[in-house]
Amino acid sequence: METPQKTLWGGRFSTSLSTETVTFTQSVEADARLIGYDIWGSQAHAIMLARQGIISDDELREILRWLQKAAEDFRNGKLTLDANKEDVHMNVESYLIENAGREFGGKLHTARSRNDQVLVDAHLYIREEILNVQRGLAALCDAFLKIAEEHTETVMPGYTHTQHAQPISLGFWATAYVSMFLRDNKRLQAAYALASTNPLGACALAGTTFPIDRHLTTKLLGFDSPHEHALDVISSRDFIAETLFALSLVMANLSRISEEIVYWTTYEFGMAVLDDAYSFGSSIMPQKKNPDIAELTRGRTGRVYGALFDLLTNLKGLPMGYNRDFQEDKPPLWEAFDIVKACLGVLPGLLATTDFRAERMAELANANFATATELANYLVTEHDISFRECHEIVGWLVGELVKQDKTFADWEATQGLLKQKDVDISVAQLQQVLDAELAIRNNRSLGGTSPDEVHRMREAFEEQLNEIALQVYTRQTQIDDARRETLRTVEEVLKQD
Ligand code: ARG
């Protein structure tokens, strides 16, 4: 780092900053990923200033020329962000002043503050990243829907308390994840809407005396509307909190599928086998095949929660207006997006290539009295006994069989024990009632395990995913169109040279 020079805001100060002060306060590393958005925001602002007669056409041209050059120089490495210049905003403005001179470059910051500028950058960044996460989630849902399509009749044990509960199908299980991730998507859509309001023109906190047009910058930046209240928007970081909360729940849900992958692939469970391309070995134990991707996803969840709590704690008790504390909102946000996108980058492929062991699943679903509820339900329907009494009878039956080290499949014993409770039932009938495959077929209630219901839900989810894809596309188009319109205006202005 070079020795600190006088800053652009240094008018009232008699000495330059100490090196420690510069090091402590600068944010150029975190800001680097905002430069494209910062320049876009500045282009829109400058165009608006000229349209409103606040700056001249000549001034606009010089500003736009050097903003273009700044973007280009950043891309080719000639412009690197200097910590002495504090943040991305001051770096770009200094570049402009150094190259276009103060009489031109010095006009860009008219009717603007870094307070609304940094918010513009964050809003633009979040908007695009949310769309990326939504695409990742859609890919994951597709992988689950594919599993569902192939496995509406593949029985597996359904669990409560991680103990056998009732049989379900693998397709039923897979569609449950889709149902869950569709809710994550809703939260992301809502977070997007919060980020799609335009802070530009709020200035430091109070608006401005200049006759600015906030609708024009809103259009040029592809926002849905101006964020009206200047003081509110300057003080707001709840749109980031909302985003981090949505991302935290995505991770919570990814950690749950990860957990299932971890134990389904154990020797003890043996319900799934990972493809070699998604597995890891051990440096000492030659036989190992480990589910590291699932473990790392589970393990990174805490870092995303950490990001949320970091921000929530940052916001607590902050007075209205801009507070420098806000600068700390960016690193956790970057981290959260990076982690979620990385997990969503790998999990769809992992799921699509996983070999689900239908035979083992069926074996487990038919063992360990997993169909006991079916027997109780059967007695209610066919023997006109109250459910509570049936529960008692079947519970007693299971207890007796366990004592004798037997299962339902010791049909004669099961039949004999039931007879002791005055329940007459043939072995053939018992075999039917206690068959896991028939059991899942008979749960025809809305949202139940029957293949028809799974099929119906799968189709409904597919439709919802199509709607989401359309919305993501529309929003992306709104962003791209706005960026293109800004660039077209920039080119037009530059042509008039
Ligand atoms: N680097 C600052 C941030 O990220 C930009 C805004 C600075 N504004 C100010 N008044 N110091 O929050």
Side-chain angles (χ1 to χ4, degrees), residues 254-269:
L254 293 180
S255 78
R256 300 177 74 180
I257 173 65
S258 299
E259 171 74 8
E260 297 208 282
I261 289 165
V262 168
Y263 69 78
W264 285 23
T265 54
T266 57
Y267 180 78
E268 288 75 5
F269 269 79

Side-chain angles (χ1 to χ4, degrees), residues 290-305:
N290 297 330
D292 295 32
I293 293 170
E295 292 172 291
L296 285 170
T297 303
R298 199 173 55 182
R300 287 176 191 169
T301 305
R303 288 168 60 194
V304 178
Y305 291 2

Side-chain angles (χ1 to χ4, degrees), residues 96-107:
L96 229 64
I97 289 172
E98 277 158 28
N99 288 288
R102 225 172 231 278
E103 66 277 32
F104 294 107
K107 297 248 166 125

Side-chain angles (χ1 to χ4, degrees), residues 27 87 89 114-115 118 322 327 330:
S27 60
D87 55 26
H89 324 297
R114 277 185 295 163
N115 298 351
V118 71
Y322 175 83
Q327 182 170 298
K330 285 173 279 300

Side-chain angles (χ1 to χ4, degrees), residues 25 27 31 86-89 113-115 118 237 322-330:
T25 51
S27 60
D31 285 6
E86 199 177 327
D87 55 26
V88 63
H89 324 297
S113 157
R114 277 185 295 163
N115 298 351
V118 71
R237 293 297 181 278
Y322 175 83
N323 299 278
R324 190 68 183 260
D325 315 45
F326 287 153
Q327 182 170 298
E328 302 304 295
D329 62 1
K330 285 173 279 300

